[in-house]
Structure formats: structure tokens, C-alpha cells
Amino acid sequence: MDLVIDNLPFLFKGAYYTLLITVVSMFFGLIIGLITAIARLKGNRFFRTIARVYVSIIRGTPPLVQLVIVYYGLVDYGIELGALTAAYIALSINIGAYVSEAFRGAIQAVPAGQTEAALATGMTEGQAIRRIVIPQAIRISIPPLGNTFVGMLKETSLVSVIAVTELLRSAQLLIAQYYVYMPFYLSIAVMYWILSTAFTFILNEIEKRLSVY
Amino acid sequence: MIQANDLSKSYDQHEVLKHISLTIPAHQVVAVIGPSGSGKSTFLRCLNGLETITGGSVSINNHLLKATDKKKTRLKTIHEIRQDTGMVFQQFNLYPHKTVIENVMEALIIVKKQSKSTAKTVAAQLLKRVGLQEKEDVYPSKLSGGQQQRVAIARALAMEPKIMLFDEPTSALDPELVGEVLKVMKELADEGMTMVIVTHEMRFAESAADRILFMADGQIVEDSEPKAFFAQPATERAQKFLAKVNEF
């Protein structure tokens, strides 16, 4: 226990990176996901196909494989990314696919009458989607997005394999130094759990905030 | 004001509207009645491009929309047509995430590019007109069906349409709420609005409309004055329909 307390600053630094990677990937994943969802629902055949293939590949391959392709694989083509950058890119692309599925379901859950009403008042299709459909879809998508994000938070542990010192790797480094396992693994488990709970709490609050009607 | 020429609509093999031709002059109030599945709503939705016509043409306030138009021309014409038409739906379709006044303001801001304060003034006047000035800041879910439909009418009127299309505006309402909506519509008719109303309210059609279109199987079977139609419909199809409606 003392060992853990002595090394808390180091573990906190790991937690900071875990959180940073999660938030950055979430941010870009949301943008990618929204674009992909709209491309799948409203795009022409070309964009629809691209979006569908993207989602299919990402969901059909392990995130660890995606990560090593971005970090190690691209080196073959002269693209050398920093570990953190590679983590951001791989995880953003990964989560974008899942986010797009959440958004797609949510957009489809908004009744067609909403779009029709907006079109009937003279809005263009784009205006109707932006002003009427998306705001309603975002609220509907929060519960599935919450699951995706919590999953994401835990998936960040994968980036320890490309030597980003996030939570899992900081524990491993400490273990290598002190030759005791349990206290460090248990403490990072607790930290993951606290972070997940905090995330869920925040998302619930956002959902409540959006449920004024 | 409205002109349909050989207007047809089919889904794959199924023909929903069969070669409809008619002219509706300005300020006329037309009630479209007929059994369900007769194509009434589809006809109405073809008038503002919510359904794509597959044959013939329709002209709304001199904007001519032909089935043969290329997609780009069609979208442009439909966009112009929608500036001149307002529509009221059976299910109201108010925006649930916006307050009552925001529902009315939305298109003023987005389509007409009005400032928020101008839009607010216009919207407030319209809500007053439909008797809902005290509900400005509540969300639609807090309103009764009749109130929601009156907001929907105000929302459509905000765009200053030359034509109002009503798609079974009272069919989703509790019986005691039908009157308040019909009253607003009657006032609108008396002010000279050109209106096409798909309805099952026979008494309203008789008293408020200038003209009855009776539709069956995708065609206009009868086109006559309300008094004549309700006293003695010319076709057997319409006689049967009215007999059924008046059965109880």
C-alpha cells in the first residue's frame, strides 16, 4: 500500500494520459462519426459505399491490430508517427465507426414527419438535417454513445503496447521496478473504475440537461 | 393558382394517382374527401413536392413542376413552390426540442433570414391569432393536440404562404378538440386563403369549403359544390361512401 501511495504521482500521470487519449479520440471520433453517419444516410452512392466499408473494416478488426498498423505498419511507407499521435489517430478512427452507428440509429429514430415539416416550411434538406434532425438525434444517441465512450476509456489500455505511458503502462513500469504486482494492478483498476463512473455521471447529466422537453 | 395536368404517381407497379387534371383558382377552399387509400394525402403531398410525381405536371403559383424535370430543376422548383405553400400535418410534427414560439420562428430565421427579434414579433402575432399567446415559452409536449395543431398552423402561416395544404388536420385529435382547430381554419378561409384540405370532417367540408373533390382509387371521381354533393352525390361510389359515413 505504501508503495502505491509513494508512487501515486506517477500513476496519476498515467491516468492523465488515459484521460487525455480518451477525450481527444472521443472528440475526433464524434466528428468522424457524425460525418460518416450522414454520409451513410444522405450521401450519394460513392460516399455511402466508402462510409459502409469503413465501418465494416473497423468493426471487423481488433483495435490492437488497427493500432499497430498505424504505429508500426506505416513506418514501412516512411510515415513515422509519435506514439501519442498514433494512439490519437488509431483510436479516433476506431471510435468514429462506433459513434457513426450510434448516430445513424439516432437519426433514423427521429420521425420522418420532422423532416417533412421542416421541408414544408421551405428549408433545404441540409437545413432540415442541421436544425431539426441532428439536435433531436444527439439526445437520442447519448445512451449508446455513453457505452461507446466507456468502452473507449478501457480500450486506451491497448496503447500501452506502443509505449505510451498511460495507466496500464505506468503500472507495468512500477511493477518492473518493485517486483510486486497486485497493489499496482488493483490501484489502476480502481482508477479506471472511477474514471468510467465519472464519465457515466457526466453523460447522464448531459442527457438530463437535454431532456427539458 | 394550382393546376394539375395529367398528374400521376406510382410506387413501382402500384399506381396511386391516375392522371389527375384540375385547376384551383386563388382564394378557393377545396375539401378533398374519400375513403382511405384513395390517394387524397398523396395528391396533397404531390402539390408541395413531399412526394415526387411520376407523370404529368403540377403548377403552383406559376412554378411549373414536371415529372420529366431533371433532378436539379425539380429540386429548385420544389424549393420555390414551398416558399408559396404552407402545410399542416395530421400528426402536427411540431419540433419537440423547441418552444412554441421557437417552432414558429424557426423558418423565419433559417429560410427568410430574419433577425431573431423580427421573427419573434411576427411569431408572437401569429400565436395571438391562433389564441395561444400565453403558451409562447412552453414545449409542444405540454400542449393538448388541438393547441399543438394551432401552433402548427401558425408555423405554416409565418412564411406568408399563398396556399395552405391541410393533411387530415383533425384526424389525430380528441373529438372535443376538433372544434378549436376547425375554427382557426374557418377564419383563414374567410380571409381569402387558398386552401386544400384533406379531411374526414364532412360537416366542416360542407360549411367551409367552396368545392368538394371526392377521390377514389387514385382518381377524382366527383368535383362539385358542397351543397349539391352532400344533398345528392352524382356517382354511386360517392353515394356509398356518404352512406357509410352517415351510418351511425
Side-chain angles (χ1 to χ4, degrees), chain A residues 85-102:
Chain A
T85 314
Y88 290 154
I89 293 176
L91 291 180
S92 299
I93 292 175
N94 176 275
I95 198 170
Y98 291 92
V99 168
S100 81
E101 287 296 280

Side-chain angles (χ1 to χ4, degrees), chain A residues 68-91:
Chain A
V68 292
I69 286 177
V70 171
Y71 186 60
Y72 296 115
L74 289 180
V75 173
D76 287 355
Y77 300 97
I79 304 170
E80 282 187 54
L81 299 167
L84 203 54
T85 314
Y88 290 154
I89 293 176
L91 291 180

Side-chain angles (χ1 to χ4, degrees), chain A residues 9-181:
Chain A
F10 188 69
L11 286 173
F12 279 151
K13 201 162 176 226
Y16 163 75
Y17 275 105
T18 290
L19 201 58
L20 181 69
I21 296 166
T22 309
V23 171
V24 171
S25 310
M26 249 171 54
F27 176 75
F28 289 108
L30 277 174
I31 297 172
I32 296 172
L34 187 58
I35 294 170
T36 309
I38 292 173
R40 281 194 75 170
L41 291 170
K42 305 285 173 190
N44 59 27
R45 203 154 143 195
F46 176 72
F47 287 110
R48 269 203 326 265
T49 311
I50 290 188
R52 211 178 49 233
V53 170
Y54 156 61
V55 172
S56 167
I57 290 175
I58 296 301
R59 296 212 303 172
T61 54
L64 184 54
V65 174
Q66 295 160 14
L67 187 67
V68 292
I69 286 177
V70 171
Y71 186 60
Y72 296 115
L74 289 180
V75 173
D76 287 355
Y77 300 97
I79 304 170
E80 282 187 54
L81 299 167
L84 203 54
T85 314
Y88 290 154
I89 293 176
L91 291 180
S92 299
I93 292 175
N94 176 275
I95 198 170
Y98 291 92
V99 168
S100 81
E101 287 296 280
F103 275 146
R104 191 165 68 103
I107 289 173
Q108 283 175 324
V110 177
Q114 290 291 312
T115 311
E116 288 182 353
L119 292 179
T121 58
M123 285 193 217
T124 62
E125 185 137 8
Q127 289 170 333
I129 292 174
R130 274 199 306 281
R131 301 283 310 186
I132 305 303
V133 178
I134 302 271
Q136 295 182 55
I138 284 176
R139 191 196 137 190
I140 300 172
S141 67
I142 286 189
L145 279 184
N147 289 336
T148 311
F149 288 153
V150 171
M152 170 80 207
L153 175 76
K154 293 179 286 184
E155 245 172 46
T156 55
S157 59
L158 292 174
V159 306
S160 60
V161 304
I162 60 168
V164 175
T165 312
E166 41 64 77
L167 259 183
L168 179 58
R169 191 167 147 85
S170 42
Q172 288 165 341
L173 290 175
L174 291 172
I175 288 161
Q177 195 180 337
Y178 297 102
Y179 300 106
V180 280
Y181 291 80

Side-chain angles (χ1 to χ4, degrees), chain B residues 13-208:
Chain B
Q13 298 300 313
H14 183 57
E15 219 177 8
V16 187
L17 296 178
K18 299 169 187 165
H19 310 285
I20 291 178
S21 296
L22 90 160
T23 305
I24 297 172
H27 313 302
Q28 195 169 61
V29 177
V30 179
V32 186
I33 61 172
S36 54
S38 58
K40 312 182 292 287
S41 288
T42 310
F43 171 65
L44 195 74
R45 291 161 59 87
C46 282
L47 297 182
N48 72 343
L50 284 183
E51 300 285 349
T52 316
I53 59 173
T54 50
S57 68
V58 56
S59 165
I60 306 289
N61 199 26
N62 296 323
H63 300 296
L64 178 66
L65 180 68
K66 290 184 294 219
T68 50
D69 280 340
K70 292 230 164 56
K71 194 177 174 187
K72 214 173 162 187
T73 322
R74 197 178 68 223
L75 288 179
K76 189 169 163 280
T77 314
I78 288 175
H79 192 69
E80 287 165 354
I81 286 175
R82 284 175 182 159
Q83 309 299 318
D84 290 340
T85 52
M87 190 171 207
V88 174
F89 299 84
Q90 183 176 354
Q91 299 297 340
F92 330 131
N93 297 349
L94 292 181
Y95 312 135
H97 60 303
K98 296 188 177 293
T99 62
V100 163
I101 194 155
E102 283 168 353
N103 262 274
V104 183
M105 288 162 64
E106 187 67 13
L108 291 172
I109 295 169
I110 302 301
V111 183
K112 285 206 168 171
K113 312 286 180 206
Q114 287 183 359
S115 71
K116 232 176 160 177
S117 57
T118 315
K120 199 160 185 167
T121 317
V122 175
Q125 277 168 358
L126 282 160
L127 286 174
K128 199 171 167 195
R129 186 163 158 194
V130 298
L132 289 170
Q133 63 269 47
E134 77 282 10
K135 299 287 185 188
E136 281 183 9
D137 296 319
V138 304
Y139 284 91
S141 58
K142 299 278 185 292
L143 299 181
S144 74
Q147 291 170 330
Q148 289 192 47
Q149 196 60 300
R150 278 146 64 199
V151 176
I153 293 173
R155 177 176 69 178
L157 289 176
M159 298 304 289
E160 298 179 312
K162 303 196 170 55
I163 300 167
M164 283 286 283
L165 308 172
F166 293 85
D167 190 2
E168 302 199 24
T170 57
S171 297
L173 297 179
D174 291 337
E176 77 271 23
L177 303 177
V178 169
E180 60 189 77
V181 173
L182 294 183
K183 184 170 155 267
V184 172
M185 290 168 61
K186 180 83 172 100
E187 285 164 9
L188 208 52
D190 292 342
E191 286 163 25
M193 177 67 77
T194 310
M195 293 161 73
V196 184
I197 309 160
V198 172
T199 185
H200 292 293
E201 299 292 333
M202 297 304 154
R203 281 226 305 269
F204 175 74
E206 187 168 1
S207 67

